[in-house]
Amino acid sequence: MIRIGLIGSGFIGKAHALAYRTAPAVFELPADIRLEMLADVDAATAASAAERLGFARSTGDWRALVEDPDVDVVDITTPNHLHEEMALTAIAAGKHVYCEKPLAPSVEGARRMTAAAEAAGVKTLVGFNYLKNPITTLAREIIESGEIGEVFGYRGTHFEDYMLDPETLVNAWRLDPAAGDGVSGDLGSHAISMARYLVGDIVAVSADRHTITTERPAGEGATMRRIDVADALRATVRFAAGARGTLEASWMAPGRKHTITAEVWGSKGALTFDFERLNELQLYRTGQQRGREGFTTILAGPAHPDFAAFVPAPGHQLSFNDLKTIEVRDLVVGLSTPSAGCWPDFREAMEVQRVVDACIVSDRARAWVDLGDI
Amino acid sequence: MIRIGLIGSGFIGKAHALAYRTAPAVFELPADIRLEMLADVDAATAASAAERLGFARSTGDWRALVEDPDVDVVDITTPNHLHEEMALTAIAAGKHVYCEKPLAPSVEGARRMTAAAEAAGVKTLVGFNYLKNPITTLAREIIESGEIGEVFGYRGTHFEDYMLDPETLVNAWRLDPAAGDGVSGDLGSHAISMARYLVGDIVAVSADRHTITTERPAGEGATMRRIDVADALRATVRFAAGARGTLEASWMAPGRKHTITAEVWGSKGALTFDFERLNELQLYRTGQQRGREGFTTILAGPAHPDFAAFVPAPGHQLSFNDLKTIEVRDLVVGLSTPSAGCWPDFREAMEVQRVVDACIVSDRARAWVDLGDI
Amino acid sequence: MIRIGLIGSGFIGKAHALAYRTAPAVFELPADIRLEMLADVDAATAASAAERLGFARSTGDWRALVEDPDVDVVDITTPNHLHEEMALTAIAAGKHVYCEKPLAPSVEGARRMTAAAEAAGVKTLVGFNYLKNPITTLAREIIESGEIGEVFGYRGTHFEDYMLDPETLVNAWRLDPAAGDGVSGDLGSHAISMARYLVGDIVAVSADRHTITTERPAGEGATMRRIDVADALRATVRFAAGARGTLEASWMAPGRKHTITAEVWGSKGALTFDFERLNELQLYRTGQQRGREGFTTILAGPAHPDFAAFVPAPGHQLSFNDLKTIEVRDLVVGLSTPSAGCWPDFREAMEVQRVVDACIVSDRARAWVDLGDI
Amino acid sequence: MIRIGLIGSGFIGKAHALAYRTAPAVFELPADIRLEMLADVDAATAASAAERLGFARSTGDWRALVEDPDVDVVDITTPNHLHEEMALTAIAAGKHVYCEKPLAPSVEGARRMTAAAEAAGVKTLVGFNYLKNPITTLAREIIESGEIGEVFGYRGTHFEDYMLDPETLVNAWRLDPAAGDGVSGDLGSHAISMARYLVGDIVAVSADRHTITTERPAGEGATMRRIDVADALRATVRFAAGARGTLEASWMAPGRKHTITAEVWGSKGALTFDFERLNELQLYRTGQQRGREGFTTILAGPAHPDFAAFVPAPGHQLSFNDLKTIEVRDLVVGLSTPSAGCWPDFREAMEVQRVVDACIVSDRARAWVDLGDI
């Protein structure tokens, strides 16, 4: 029995809750999940969310949740700058920690969190849920199996447009430098984690940060405040294994609602996908019959990892929330396996954050930065 | 509190169970759901499924479930030819009935079921879940609002390929005439329900049934048996409101995994969608700026009915299972509203079945058939 | 040396002229082409067009062109109802005839034209240019080679929307029953010729004609006149070889500008294409590696018939006009080969027209019609 | 009368010849075109090509062509490193010059050519034919009109895969550093010219060149030679007007046959296109009706510049060769207009080359380079 303590019940907190409810019926889990306690900004909000989402208890004080002896896992879905204190407190209390991405606003915090978790021997999982898509897993399988040969090129993006309107504030905390460098950590970290998952360590970057809207209202009807965090991030990167590529992220990409793309080029072929159609992968292989060459559109189906548990028919489509359900399955399996941890853990998330920070340093230096220096 | 008795726990039974678990956390429901009892082919199977899916009790005897005083709704997910007896028994016991499609193998059974339900005053819901897709609901809104003008043309399809291999038996019961006319009822009924939802009553059909594989093995390693049911159904149809169109269904459409399409033509525009990309709708409107005309690709998002409850960000994609969750929401709301029923109910499913049967009659007569004669 | 006499210099006449100019430089032709004479509605129009398109002489009297001793081929690009007289006159003068589709407003005319040509021993070619697309040729090669197995299903369409606006007249002669049954001959004949090219003879049809706009202005600012010809045609069809399918055509398909599709289903796969992307073919084959199945998007390239002559690089795209250039190549090769004719010839076009007429008869009878009865 | 002297009759030379033949019939040109002379590597090759492509005379000595008094325009379609000598000789002879891209292997040559042309007062045109696509012109119109607001982001690519196979040599001269930096000049120059056309001057770049295949055979069955030129080029760039972006080019992009993309982001919308579907543009505009937002797929048609002259029906598709025909129209109009030149001229091509060279300098310096320093 794994007893969950969830902090936060907004967009992503609700997604976690849905995943906890669904995972045991979708997968055959090695342990039961108990929705033990939910914490939110105040007791009333927490109580209402707990009632709706099926948690047994609630609290307006996240510390009470963290300290609660009946909580095994502390699940942190709060804004980025709150992760560290919550995680360190949970680790100190001997709890496992499931934390949303990015792990911390900067690599220093991520390092502290990783060190604390590893010293305490607790298990950690960070919510880079796009890695859990069966299509993503398929992409990695294709790469690892050598089907597309030696990888030499990569193109990764994460584009949305929720910050496009200069008058509208969406998640104003995201514009606070204390929460990190805007889109660099918010969407950029997704693009970086995907690149690392598919092609491995990044060893050097040359990045350009762009603050497009330099003033935004501080709140509803409020005066304008100066904005310094990145609205767009562009980088050329080099991987340890020799591949080169580009990484791009923007939350001001007009019309792009959920464009998370990867394009991987190898000596024997290529693959690409776009999460606006998150159940599709395009695969090209050299050596096809002459005149029949082309990209094949593969629809996610029961032949692919983790799909059949949801629906045994190909083409029947998984959703954003389903990716979280797979992530929760990984959490439960990781916690239930003595010799293993969860993945991606704090250390991996720290490595992602190192790349984010390298981009910021590179932007300031107007030069390439080696990851070894971060 | 609505207490569910689920009969069947296969592909679609599991989908129902997932929906029951998810709906209360996604939506604010007017009543609680209790997973009271699960019946399957034998007690062990039922017990195992109940454990996994979260049902309180289980039974190997569906009659026990139907008669159980703590069951409010009998949810039937068994093969088509078993629906009628189960539903009539449930209705006789005063239960509401939530039944998978097609309602019955032929219109006679559907009529008996409808008459019984209406006489008993129980509420009914039939699982034409594709009507619950926010994209489908959007399509209907666009049509009803007059945005694409007066509708004069329709093209509807439902194509999959799970029966393509002549050696492989998938759901062998689907090939038994006792379960209905093969693809006509299985996928054809989906295409018909979609057409009725979007354009209204069908008044005449000219149909061609095609049994492509006329012999298949009776079972694993078994001798061949003659197959008479349709592998493909094609029809030209006329709607009461004046529109004309085509309806096509096949379970031997090579490469098509979940192709459910509708294309609606009106005097002021057109819309179309394909469930292999079930979060997209293409909309064309006349009167666009010259040189800027084209179909707009609309991604499902929080601006559309029922989407935001799952995820508040556009483009983040719903799944096949999510459609069942919306269907369960409709079940709970319908049962909780004294003056209303659920939809689509047995009567609507009977109307769908009338069109299926009209196609069969037309095929035999090699002529148009008026629905009034069915 | 082949000396061309072109009648008509509108949209399609100009396309012919461009093809004559281009073909000798694209292909290595067995004979030279000389643009000998151009006829149009009056001498001035003809002279102007001849000057622009590069014809040596011009005339306002098509009979003068047909009788001219220095014209070898009479190329007819006038409205449908004018084809027969012109062609018969040309044949009587011993000329070869290159005629636009549909050959005639009805099968009777097509029969007379075919009989006359065959009796006279002149060669004929009819402008079903969509059959000349390298992608179409590739489709046929794939089918004939057995790559997709035994063909059992077909879906063909030709949709445009140039008649959508009820106030606007485009090519008013197309609405005159004397020119044929509206879209049935105009676009329907394209769809039928494609179906015949890919799957072979059609032996039975059940068709529904739909006049959507029943009144249109007789001309600019003119009073309304009653319209009887088809705006849309829908048919279920049976092929001689056992396949079944649907054919659909409409010139009131909102937003569809050049949608010419074929979808061919066989026991080992499927292929499909859409001329709005006329350089692409989608191919699905059974027996692909599990988990890698899908449609492959093949871009037209030098590996395909007739492409390399235009551009030796794949993906570099051919145009509508390029299809006419291939057609003209076929004209020149056919005329230069003693033992061969051109294709599709009058006889093939007559077979297409028989299907058009069968659809009209079927619509009136509200029943299936065997082609043997037409 | 404009008398053309064409040097080279390979892939692109033939494309020029086709364009000369077609342009006068497609467009109403202000002057006639005469195919005066063709030069190739030897007299026989030249004679054969002249015969096939319709040139009046031929020569194996390009200098004879350049000096010929009956040649008005020298059209250079030879490998890159031959452009300069030919162009300078032609300019010295007072000829107008139409030269393929890239103008020269490096900016020094491009500067010399530009200076000579401007000093001599001859007119020049460089074959960046992708700028002539009606879809490209439409994109520029949309940007210039302010429809998508103030532009702040750009993503440009040109990907093909003709150098993917390490064993095969395609256009071996392209691998010779004397011809320029491999893909940087070959495809990179196209991507740069597109960026400049749509968003304006580039003022700084940070680039990464990648030689993926470091050894290739020196010829058929030959020994290997070391390769130093770029197989892939990636750059982050800044525009004078404030926008930022990325530019990428590769001739080893597996499966990409003709991927030339631009994505332009502005404060009021975005547009994007891909030349693998060269008749389509995707346009997104803010302020659309809520719930109807999305990218609109615009098919090239007669509402767009230069399309109607080819075919008066939308969706009927132009080809790669058609873009050259528009370019030739621009040549003839430019030469016929006393007060105007052609565009893009040598100066513009030199500006493109400055960006290419800046990328090379940046790659070596591992730092940003200001264009002012090139």
Side-chain angles (χ1 to χ4, degrees), chain B residues 140 143-144 151 154 191-204 237-243 247 264 348 351-352 355 371:
Chain B
R140 177 149 156 167
I143 295 167
E144 290 201 330
V151 171
Y154 185 80
I192 293 163
S193 73
M194 185 68 78
R196 287 179 51 81
Y197 182 60
L198 295 178
V199 187
D201 283 348
I202 291 167
V203 293
V237 304
R238 294 188 172 190
F239 293 87
L247 293 176
V264 186
E348 171 60 19
E351 292 295 336
V352 170
V355 181
L371 262 289

Side-chain angles (χ1 to χ4, degrees), chain B residues 74-92:
Chain B
V74 174
D75 179 354
I76 304 170
T77 69
T78 56
N80 307 342
H81 51 295
L82 305 178
H83 294 176
E84 182 177 355
E85 185 181 8
M86 290 171 174
L88 293 179
T89 309
I91 291 166

Side-chain angles (χ1 to χ4, degrees), chain C residues 11 14-15 17-18 20-28 32 51-54 130 160-161 255 257-258 275-280 282 297 299 308-322, chain D residues 11 14-15 17-18 20-28 32 51-54 130 160-161 255 257-258 275-280 282 297 299 308-322:
Chain C
F11 169 4
K14 179 175 175 180
L18 290 173
Y20 290 128
R21 297 171 68 103
T22 306
V26 170
F27 296 107
E28 300 206 27
D32 288 339
E51 161 74 15
R52 183 166 40 85
L53 299 176
Y130 297 123
E160 304 197 15
D161 70 357
K257 306 303 179 187
H258 197 220
F275 271 52
E276 286 197 356
R277 289 169 174 168
L278 66 77
N279 289 275
E280 295 184 18
Q282 302 275 335
T297 304
L299 296 182
F310 289 91
V311 50
H316 280 56
Q317 313 267 318
L318 300 192
S319 65
F320 174 83
N321 286 336
D322 291 335
Chain D
F11 170 2
K14 179 174 176 180
L18 290 173
Y20 291 129
R21 296 172 68 103
T22 306
V26 169
F27 295 107
E28 302 207 26
D32 288 339
E51 161 73 15
R52 183 166 40 85
L53 300 176
Y130 297 123
E160 306 199 12
D161 69 357
K257 306 305 180 187
H258 198 219
F275 271 52
E276 285 196 356
R277 291 169 173 169
L278 66 77
N279 290 275
E280 295 183 19
Q282 303 275 336
T297 304
L299 297 180
F310 289 91
V311 49
H316 280 55
Q317 315 266 318
L318 300 193
S319 65
F320 174 83
N321 286 336
D322 291 335

Side-chain angles (χ1 to χ4, degrees), chain C residues 205-229:
Chain C
V205 302
S206 171
D208 193 35
R209 298 166 56 259
H210 191 191
T211 305
I212 299 163
T213 305
T214 53
E215 285 199 327
R216 291 186 190 257
E220 201 64 51
T223 53
M224 303 298 274
R225 61 169 168 164
R226 174 107 198 132
I227 304 295
D228 295 304
V229 302

Side-chain angles (χ1 to χ4, degrees), chain A residues 11 14-15 17-18 20-28 32 51-54 130 160-161 255 257-258 275-280 282 297 299 308-322, chain B residues 11 14-15 17-18 20-28 32 51-54 130 160-161 255 257-258 275-280 282 297 299 308-322:
Chain A
F11 169 2
K14 180 175 175 179
L18 290 172
Y20 290 128
R21 295 172 69 103
T22 305
V26 170
F27 295 107
E28 301 207 26
D32 288 339
E51 160 74 15
R52 183 165 40 84
L53 301 176
Y130 297 123
E160 305 198 12
D161 70 356
K257 306 304 180 187
H258 197 220
F275 271 53
E276 286 196 356
R277 290 170 174 169
L278 65 77
N279 290 275
E280 295 184 19
Q282 303 275 336
T297 304
L299 296 181
F310 289 92
V311 49
H316 280 57
Q317 315 265 318
L318 300 192
S319 65
F320 174 83
N321 287 336
D322 291 336
Chain B
F11 169 3
K14 180 175 174 179
L18 290 174
Y20 291 130
R21 295 171 69 102
T22 306
V26 170
F27 294 107
E28 300 205 28
D32 288 339
E51 162 73 15
R52 183 166 40 84
L53 300 176
Y130 297 123
E160 305 198 14
D161 69 358
K257 306 304 179 186
H258 197 219
F275 270 52
E276 287 197 355
R277 289 170 174 169
L278 66 76
N279 290 274
E280 294 183 19
Q282 302 275 337
T297 303
L299 297 181
F310 289 90
V311 50
H316 280 56
Q317 313 268 318
L318 300 192
S319 66
F320 174 83
N321 286 336
D322 291 336

Side-chain angles (χ1 to χ4, degrees), chain B residues 159-162 253-259 276, chain C residues 263 265 272 295:
Chain B
F159 297 137
E160 305 198 14
D161 69 358
Y162 54 83
R256 301 298 178 194
K257 306 304 179 186
H258 197 219
T259 296
E276 287 197 355
Chain C
E263 184 167 343
W265 296 342
T272 184
F295 278 90

